[in-house]
Amino acid sequence: MRGTKMLFQEKAKQIGLVAKQSGVSIKTIRYYEELGLLKASGRTEGGYRLFDADILSRLSFIKRAQSLGLTLAEIKEFLHIHDQGDLPCEHAKVKLQEQITDIDEQIQQLLVLKQELQRLLLTQESTVENIEQVICPLIEQN
């Protein structure tokens, strides 16, 4: 039994090593574990978390999915599907399409904002009669 425990600990990675190899902070790894994105496979006799060898690919997936604008809740859903033995690709396609739609809407909103800013910069400031009641006429004009 003791030999099995030693063998397990040799294959498992301590949280500090995982943080170093993945570039993800220990605090973030603990947070992901708290959210259910990661699962420690055990602890050392000293109480340090141990993770299976697949932890690095899992963290890499989380980081990549976040860089694509996916939320941790969405990522958790994908990981849950994966943990059940299925590929979450169809779910991911739906989420990525939603992300594209959101980006298109944001682009439209930014274009409207850009036009408004350009209009403000092109108009001349009116003379201010009561300077104490106005902060900046350029911004306050409609």
Side-chain angles (χ1 to χ4, degrees):
M1 179 75 167
R2 183 117 171 105
T4 306
K5 188 173 183 181
M6 291 295 286
L7 182 62
F8 169 74
Q9 286 186 357
E10 287 174 16
K11 289 183 178 181
K13 297 176 184 282
Q14 287 188 13
I15 193 168
L17 181 61
V18 171
K20 185 177 181 179
Q21 290 179 341
S22 67
V24 176
S25 72
I26 291 174
K27 184 177 179 179
T28 301
I29 293 170
R30 287 183 185 137
Y31 179 64
Y32 289 168
E33 183 182 16
E34 184 181 313
L35 292 178
L37 298 168
L38 305 173
K39 223 182 287 181
S41 55
R43 291 192 179 254
T44 65
E45 290 180 15
Y48 294 101
R49 288 171 174 84
L50 292 172
F51 293 93
D52 289 335
D54 73 335
I55 188 71
L56 295 177
S57 64
R58 199 166 176 103
L59 282 169
S60 177
F61 175 82
I62 293 169
K63 287 174 21 179
R64 175 67 175 144
Q66 281 184 304
S67 76
L68 295 173
L70 297 170
T71 67
L72 291 176
E74 292 165 337
I75 296 167
K76 181 179 179 179
E77 179 185 332
F78 298 157
L79 291 171
H80 178 73
I81 292 168
H82 172 266
D83 293 344
Q84 300 299 314
D86 293 322
L87 292 176
C89 295
E90 288 306 314
H91 298 278
K93 282 181 185 178
V94 170
K95 294 294 182 185
L96 293 175
Q97 186 56 55
E98 289 173 3
Q99 195 66 2
I100 290 170
T101 301
D102 290 347
I103 290 169
D104 285 339
E105 289 173 10
Q106 290 172 3
I107 289 170
Q108 289 305 316
Q109 291 170 358
L110 288 171
L111 288 171
V112 168
L113 176 59
K114 179 182 175 183
Q115 289 172 346
E116 175 68 11
L117 294 171
Q118 288 173 330
R119 184 187 64 77
L120 285 174
L121 290 172
L122 291 175
T123 60
Q124 292 182 341
E125 289 184 41
S126 57
T127 352
V128 179
E129 293 177 16
N130 190 350
I131 196 164
E132 292 170 1
Q133 293 180 353
V134 177
I135 297 171
C136 177
L138 178 68
I139 292 175
E140 293 179 84
Q141 67 183 337
N142 288 325

